[in-house]
Amino acid sequence: MAYEHKDIEKKWQEEWRKRGTYRVNNDPSRPGYYVLDMFPYPSGAGLHVGHPLGYIASDIVARYKRHCGFNVLHPMGYDSFGLPAEQYAIQTGQHPAKTTAENAARYRQQLDAIGFSFDWDREVRTSDPTFYKWTQWIFLQLFDSWYDPKTDKARPISELVACFQEKGSIGQDTSTLTGDIEEFVGGFTAEEWRSFDERTRQLVLQHFRLAYISDAWVNWCPAMGTVLANDEVKDGVSERGGHPVERKRMKQWSLRITSYAQRLLDGLDTLDWSESIKEAQRNWIGRSEGATVRFPIGNDFVEVFTTRPDTLFGVCFITLAPEHVLVGKFTTPERKAEVEAYVEIAKNRSERDRMADVAHVSGVFTGSFAKHPFTGADVPVWVGDYVLAGYGTGAVMAVPGGDQRDWRFAKHFGLPIIAVTEGADIEKEADERKDATICSDGFLKGLKVPQAIKRAIEELERIGAGQGRINFRLRDAAFGRQRYWGEPIPIYYKDDIPYALPESELPLELPAVDKFLPTAEGEPPLARAANWNYQGHPLETTTMPGWAGSSWYFLRYMDPGNNDRFASPEAINYWKQVDLYVGGSEHATGHLLYFRFWTKFLFDRGWIPFDEPAKKLVNQGMIQGISMMARVAVDRSNGVERYLVLPKEKHDTPGAFDRNYLIDQVNFKEGRYFINEEGAARTRAKEAIFREFHLGAPEVELTPVVEKMSKSKFNVVNPDDIIAKYGADTLRLYEMFLGPLEQSKPWDTNGIEGTFRFLRKFWNLFHDPNDAFHVREAEPTKPELKILHATLKKVSEDIGKLSFNTSVAQFMIAVNELGTLKCDKRAILEPLTIALAPFAPHIAEELWQRLGHAESITAAIWPTWDEQYLVEDSFSYPISFNGKTRLQLEFPIALSKEEVEAQVLANPEVQLRLEGKAPKKVIVVPKRIVNIVV
RNA sequence: ACGGACGUGGCGGAAUUGGUAGACGCGCUGGACUUAGGAUCCAGUGCCGCAAGGCGUGGGGGUUCGAGUCCCCCCGUCCGUACCA
């Protein structure tokens, strides 16, 4: 009777470790399969019950594929550089390496307790110098590369130099330049290039390198003392910590991901990733087709980007972003004071302020007029903060008749509005329809929008006033962080020019510093290091961002011990892409984009033979916590508001006082104190109650609220507790049973009993009432075989669809039915044990051994199902009248439609219901339904 | 505002892709066994109704012999993105 999960799980976890059961070799004689989990950042809080969800799913797939004969790579490691460890280091002086190691050890313990089939010999840690040596190496490859738009791939910078030697450059040359070029690159002849000194050449090359340093607008987060990439900023505040972020221009390392914009977009179509992730990436890349248009101003010009060149005859003014470099130039002396004042205010408004009030229109006239390229009319040039400096050219041609933002601006400042499309009511709003007909005067009149766009671009190009252009929203990625706990950037400076550290100097290890804080001069922490230089030349002091290591770690798992290369060609050719990648959807536009970018780059430079890292991606849903929110009625007569929440074990200890549970911040609502928000009164259901010791018995009401599981919300469920009580196999099954993998769902510990009971019942099939192992060799009966094969079929198919909740349900059905049949036959129980092994490996391994096997069940061949056991010879037809089921009639499967119809109509009960009338129609769907229409 | 996902019992969720809605589990009700049960087993459990029967997959319409599933309109929830020219 006793299913002793504790003993069994401990025994097998030790045994697996001893035997090296999950060790994987790069074995070319067997097909490889690569199942990867997004590796965790080892935080101090440890794992909660939501974290392993994806790991359990991928572990099931990995184990299943192993049974199916694949050589499965299923590794785990740690994304171990990161801010929390550094923040902790700043507070305590403890080196982040130490806390990181401690946290990783704790993670390992927790992961081991769940019984994963990870090959820990392949563990990687991004903060380990043997790992980041290669992160640095890849950075140097990026530094050593430029993107050739003609061949559409990255090439060695030496080839560009050769090209300059020979042909020079015409400047802003689209045959050599790609991406997010913020600076003007002048042209030069081959002779001039050859005459350039080293410094000039290097400065020019910075505009082409895929890893480059430039003065760039960055997201500066003063509270964190570092810059952030665009995907690390949400709603104008840092994603981590929620600190305000401002735009700032500073010297900054960036990666030219924008060169890859089109390929990153196109590649999505080849991937088996969720539509939502692909869509998020498409939006983030933000491709738009249109044209650049030059508006002359005196001897100068302003260039705008528009997706609607068809509306050119509706241009009423031009608006520049406040940060636009030409604002100063185009401002007339008499408007100078006003414009400068406006620009000053607009620039200093934080991103957040700007976003918070998009409804408010503001702007100022520069006093200048541009010439319309088609009509020659004067077009006033304005400055307005609704125009973003970072998109397009930072300037727009305003068409208030066709663009609602321009319309609002025009209305606000009383500027003219020209109707551009037939049927537009420009008094009310702009007409943004893309199927309209152009009505503004000029050669586009009468054309439909798409034709007009084509025609307008042709004309612009003909007269040299502009050209068709594809624009991307994607910006180059800020790569330097003014922080300590990250990979040092392997660059030194000679004459202020960055040079690559020789490969032989890698890894450039993190130096010791006295404090993990910026220097008094505001230099990053690395500037504190003694002798932070290379042959007397200063080394770079910023470090790489969190996503550097994770952009390529999947390759390192293939060959983690390699000292000569990031991974050997043999290993890479064997494992190739990740077959199944499981992780959270929050990485949609960060990690997953950089991951693809680096893969494409390594492909271009010939280091790997594929240009997408993961064929299939699945996002596991979040497991939410249930928070018990308290409403506490309280008398404030003594002027003190203090509430105490006590854990259950202290219920009977009057006066017990636990500071951790003291709540002293409450919000007034509906005449009661509804305690929520941060620092809220929350407690887990059934484990604690609220008590108020100062005021006698208060009125207490607990309302369950489903929300994110987090320490700060007092709703965390620790897997260790679950395992202690029910075992890892029950935890694994229950996490899968909760619902579809991709879906978010609340955790309810109460429900776990069901899966625990299931395992006990499964165990009991193999044991007699005295818990003696008892399995017979007898021939199985037909019903027993049917249950087995139905289960094998369902489970095999469901694993393929990653539908684990329904697999678990099928196992439960099987065990219930076999229990009813008192089945104790090897021919049934043995295959069933293999099928259960991916889900509940410990109990399966134990029963496998008891069945007499010396070798681990992980080596067992997956049992295939045989349809012959599933065929029925009769079917109980639901007989419905006008679609409503009224009775059931059983007929042999072999019966033809006509025979079924005849027999149904002959049935007395059917006759009774027909009341002698002839049915209008009878539909017979074999093995499905009979519907009688009356 | 736009994009994506979704809406089924008291709860988590099934439904062979147009064919018996509510599998499986939790919870609940009743019973058995028991010194006891937060153990186990049996029965029941969508709603209304004594019943016959009726109503039921967010709401409304449609297609169909038949709709949770397909089409149109609306409502609601969650997640992205957010003045992207």
Side-chain angles (χ1 to χ4, degrees):
Chain A
M1 288 304 282
Y3 158 49
E4 299 290 349
H5 63 262
K6 263 188 198 144
D7 301 341
I8 293 169
E9 292 177 0
K10 188 164 170 266
K11 167 182 163 186
W12 285 106
Q13 282 164 13
E14 276 170 18
E15 197 64 25
W16 290 330
R17 187 164 39 237
K18 250 191 281 171
R19 296 189 195 173
T21 303
Y22 302 116
R23 203 168 293 139
V24 181
N25 299 313
N26 301 354
D27 171 8
S29 71
R30 284 191 298 157
Y33 192 88
Y34 190 175
V35 186
L36 183 63
D37 295 289
M38 288 185 190
F39 61 171
Y41 172 80
S43 84
L47 295 173
H48 66 61
V49 111
H51 292 118
L53 180 73
Y55 304 157
I56 294 169
S58 62
D59 197 55
I60 290 169
V61 173
R63 287 172 180 274
Y64 169 72
K65 286 285 175 184
R66 253 179 233 125
H67 288 301
C68 293
F70 288 91
N71 188 26
V72 177
L73 180 56
H74 186 217
M76 183 47 81
Y78 304 101
D79 189 12
S80 48
F81 275 132
L83 285 177
E86 179 162 359
Q87 221 59 42
Y88 190 72
I90 291 167
Q91 285 161 22
T92 64
Q94 232 183 108
H95 197 282
K98 186 165 177 277
T99 42
T100 301
E102 286 165 5
N103 293 346
R106 165 108 182 91
Y107 266 55
R108 176 64 189 278
Q109 212 176 23
Q110 287 190 295
L111 292 170
D112 279 348
I114 303 172
F116 291 118
S117 63
F118 298 129
D119 177 1
W120 283 105
D121 290 351
R122 291 175 184 258
E123 177 194 311
V124 301
R125 297 185 187 200
T126 54
S127 60
D128 188 328
T130 63
F131 181 92
Y132 70 67
K133 170 180 178 178
W134 300 105
T135 311
Q136 291 172 333
W137 179 85
I138 295 171
F139 174 86
L140 290 182
Q141 301 306 305
L142 286 159
F143 182 74
D144 182 55
S145 300
W146 65 295
Y147 198 89
D148 177 0
K150 272 190 276 189
T151 54
D152 214 7
K153 62 184 257 196
R155 296 172 62 187
I157 197 90
S158 59
E159 296 179 17
L160 180 66
V161 171
C163 178
F164 287 163
Q165 293 270 9
E166 204 184 309
K167 293 186 289 206
S169 167
I170 60 167
Q172 298 307 116
D173 179 357
T174 50
S175 68
T176 50
L177 280 172
T178 54
D180 190 19
I181 303 298
E182 302 201 15
E183 307 295 324
F184 182 76
V185 183
F188 47 83
T189 64
E191 290 72 42
E192 281 172 317
W193 171 263
R194 285 189 291 248
S195 72
F196 285 164
D197 60 14
E198 168 69 11
R199 183 187 163 80
T200 310
R201 287 184 180 193
Q202 288 299 331
L203 286 172
V204 170
L205 291 179
Q206 282 299 314
H207 294 296
F208 297 86
R209 295 181 185 277
L210 292 185
Y212 64 97
I213 193 164
S214 69
D215 273 317
W217 288 101
V218 296
N219 305 302
W220 174 254
C221 178
M224 293 165 80
T226 191
V227 305
L228 298 169
N230 289 338
D231 62 276
E232 293 169 310
V233 181
K234 289 234 151 67
D235 302 327
V237 298
S238 66
E239 196 182 18
R240 259 217 161 131
H243 307 294
V245 171
E246 52 194 57
R247 297 281 287 170
K248 190 175 168 184
R249 205 165 163 80
M250 60 189 285
K251 269 233 183 304
Q252 176 62 46
W253 281 96
S254 300
L255 297 190
R256 212 176 297 280
I257 188 174
T258 47
S259 309
Y260 283 87
Q262 187 65 50
R263 282 167 68 192
L264 287 168
L265 193 61
D266 295 341
L268 290 172
D269 296 331
T270 68
L271 298 177
D272 183 8
W273 289 19
S274 73
E275 208 41 53
S276 60
I277 293 281
K278 291 207 251 186
E279 206 48 39
Q281 292 211 345
R282 285 191 193 106
N283 293 338
W284 191 261
I285 294 167
R287 182 184 197 270
S288 48
E289 281 180 39
T292 54
V293 183
R294 275 185 289 282
F295 288 77
I297 304 181
N299 294 327
D300 221 315
F301 67 85
V302 60
E303 190 174 65
V304 302
F305 173 73
T306 178
T307 56
R308 295 291 302 277
D310 58 309
T311 62
L312 255 162
F313 288 103
V315 172
C316 299
F317 53 99
I318 280 170
T319 315
L320 306 177
E323 296 93 339
H324 198 287
V325 282
L326 297 177
V327 168
K329 202 165 174 183
F330 294 152
T331 301
T332 57
E334 57 274 20
R335 314 244 0 128
K336 196 163 180 255
E338 203 186 328
V339 171
E340 278 180 359
Y342 176 72
V343 167
E344 201 47 39
I345 291 165
K347 270 190 183 169
N348 284 337
R349 282 179 84 192
S350 70
E351 288 271 306
R352 189 163 210 183
D353 288 347
R354 270 205 199 182
M355 283 190 310
D357 102 309
V358 290
H360 181 247
V361 175
S362 75
V364 64
F365 178 46
T366 61
S368 290
F369 291 88
K371 282 254 178 296
H372 192 290
F374 290 161
T375 66
D378 280 338
V379 181
V381 178
W382 284 67
V383 178
D385 72 356
Y386 78 97
V387 178
L388 303 174
Y391 185 76
T393 61
V396 302
M397 56 176 226
V399 183
D403 184 292
Q404 192 57 27
R405 294 157 301 183
D406 297 338
W407 186 88
R408 274 191 9 225
F409 196 82
K411 272 280 174 206
H412 188 263
F413 289 107
L415 296 162
I417 298 173
I418 302 172
V420 284
T421 46
E422 283 176 8
D425 180 4
I426 54 166
E427 276 312 304
K428 261 176 66 193
E429 60 183 354
D431 176 16
E432 300 189 335
R433 288 173 305 151
K434 294 193 174 66
D435 55 354
T437 302
I438 302 298
C439 72
S440 46
D441 288 329
F443 59 85
L444 298 172
K445 190 169 182 172
L447 292 175
K448 284 276 187 191
V449 167
Q451 286 79 41
I453 289 175
K454 246 180 93 187
R455 180 74 189 84
I457 292 174
E458 278 166 20
E459 187 61 17
L460 283 170
E461 290 180 350
R462 194 183 64 78
I463 65 172
Q467 61 213 288
R469 181 166 135 187
I470 290 157
N471 196 55
F472 294 95
R473 198 189 78 119
L474 183 70
R475 302 289 85 192
D476 275 348
F479 197 69
R481 296 290 180 276
Q482 288 67 17
R483 306 286 296 198
Y484 177 76
W485 192 229
E487 300 88 344
I489 294 178
I491 289 288
Y492 66 93
Y493 293 87
K494 199 161 71 183
D495 201 12
D496 273 349
I497 296 292
Y499 287 92
L501 212 58
E503 226 177 290
S504 57
E505 295 294 317
L506 300 184
L508 173 61
E509 291 199 38
L510 263 176
V513 291
D514 57 340
K515 272 188 211 146
F516 304 101
L517 287 168
T519 64
E521 297 77 41
E523 291 287 302
L526 290 197
R528 293 176 173 274
N531 304 319
W532 191 238
N533 58 63
Y534 169 67
Q535 296 180 348
H537 304 293
L539 285 163
E540 170 64 44
T541 54
T542 60
T543 52
M544 298 187 198
W547 48 267
S550 60
S551 297
W552 75 280
Y553 75 119
F554 78 107
L555 294 165
R556 188 64 179 171
Y557 283 132
M558 298 176 181
D559 191 11
N562 200 320
N563 287 321
D564 306 320
R565 208 168 178 277
F566 62 92
S568 72
E570 295 75 38
I572 293 169
N573 278 314
Y574 176 61
W575 294 110
K576 299 208 179 70
Q577 289 148 291
V578 174
D579 290 284
L580 175 64
Y581 194 28
V582 180
S585 56
E586 66 272 23
H587 299 108
T589 50
H591 161 62
L592 288 171
L593 209 52
Y594 300 122
F595 188 51
R596 297 181 58 220
F597 162 41
W598 281 38
T599 303
K600 287 183 187 301
F601 166 71
L602 290 171
F603 169 77
D604 283 357
R605 289 296 307 267
W607 296 104
I608 56 176
F610 44 81
D611 77 339
E612 286 289 349
K615 288 194 251 184
K616 184 176 170 71
L617 171 80
V618 173
N619 301 118
Q620 83 273 22
M622 239 193 322
I623 289 196
Q624 295 147 318
I626 298 178
S627 304
M628 299 308 289
M629 308 299 267
R631 287 164 181 259
V632 184
V634 64
D635 173 10
R636 302 170 75 191
S637 57
N638 65 357
V640 185
E641 291 173 8
R642 296 217 296 183
Y643 301 89
L644 222 50
V645 184
L646 279 188
K648 198 177 179 182
E649 58 267 25
K650 295 200 179 155
H651 285 182
D652 303 314
T653 323
F657 189 86
D658 184 339
R659 198 152 274 286
N660 290 325
Y661 290 88
L662 175 69
I663 310 300
D664 56 16
Q665 264 184 313
V666 292
N667 301 320
F668 193 71
K669 201 177 177 185
E670 296 175 283
R672 289 170 163 185
Y673 287 88
F674 183 61
I675 309 176
N676 66 354
E677 308 300 327
E678 295 315 310
R682 300 157 187 272
T683 177
R684 268 159 54 198
K686 296 193 177 180
E687 290 195 19
I689 59 159
F690 288 76
R691 280 200 186 177
E692 211 297 309
F693 276 84
H694 306 275
L695 301 167
E699 187 184 332
V700 174
E701 216 178 274
L702 291 176
T703 315
V705 175
V706 172
E707 56 184 1
K708 191 176 166 183
M709 191 174 279
S710 124
K711 210 172 160 186
S712 67
K713 297 186 193 299
F714 292 94
N715 61 5
V716 169
V717 180
N718 188 325
D720 301 353
D721 300 339
I722 303 290
I723 290 170
K725 193 161 176 201
Y726 300 101
D729 286 338
T730 298
L731 173 76
R732 291 169 62 108
L733 279 170
Y734 187 55
E735 294 230 1
M736 292 299 101
F737 187 61
L738 233 35
L741 179 63
E742 285 100 328
Q743 212 165 290
S744 288
K745 55 247 160 182
W747 176 271
D748 176 14
T749 301
N750 294 319
I752 204 169
E753 293 283 350
T755 48
F756 185 55
R757 265 198 283 270
F758 157 73
L759 282 181
R760 270 204 318 246
K761 285 193 237 171
F762 187 74
W763 178 266
N764 288 342
L765 289 174
F766 296 73
H767 295 85
D768 65 20
N770 304 315
D771 199 35
F773 186 78
H774 181 82
V775 170
R776 292 188 301 136
E777 303 295 330
E779 277 298 304
T781 63
K782 218 178 154 193
E784 288 170 341
L785 284 166
K786 190 180 158 195
I787 296 164
L788 171 67
H789 286 269
T791 303
L792 294 178
K793 179 179 178 167
K794 178 90 177 123
V795 171
S796 304
E797 288 175 352
D798 283 354
I799 293 176
K801 289 186 287 186
L802 306 181
S803 174
F804 304 111
N805 54 328
T806 50
S807 312
V808 177
Q810 180 62 37
F811 279 122
M812 289 174 168
I813 293 168
V815 164
N816 288 343
E817 291 185 358
L818 292 174
T820 308
L821 296 171
K822 303 221 182 314
C823 175
D824 56 1
K825 294 163 188 166
R826 174 184 291 272
I828 300 296
L829 298 182
E830 199 166 84
L832 207 56
T833 305
I834 301 171
L836 186 67
F839 297 83
H842 307 87
I843 191 174
E845 190 80 273
E846 176 66 21
L847 292 170
W848 187 249
Q849 190 184 51
R850 290 182 181 219
L851 282 163
H853 298 277
E855 206 185 351
S856 166
I857 194 168
T858 54
I861 307 290
W862 187 257
T864 48
W865 77 90
D866 189 337
E867 289 284 348
Q868 69 158 307
Y869 298 113
L870 302 178
V871 291
E872 304 269 1
D873 26 81
S874 71
F875 179 75
S876 177
Y877 281 91
I879 313 299
S880 57
F881 290 76
N882 293 336
K884 290 188 203 305
T885 307
R886 286 292 179 250
L887 61 143
Q888 303 266 328
L889 292 175
E890 184 147 336
F891 298 115
I893 292 291
L895 235 52
S896 73
K897 272 187 176 182
E898 292 71 25
E899 288 168 317
V900 170
E901 181 174 338
Q903 295 211 19
V904 166
L905 291 177
N907 181 278
E909 199 175 339
V910 172
Q911 282 299 322
L912 198 68
R913 285 177 186 277
L914 282 171
E915 295 168 338
K917 283 172 263 175
K920 278 190 196 141
K921 199 171 175 185
V922 178
I923 289 120
V924 178
V925 184
K927 282 179 73 181
R928 284 282 142 79
I929 198 168
V930 176
N931 191 17
I932 300 169
V933 187
V934 291

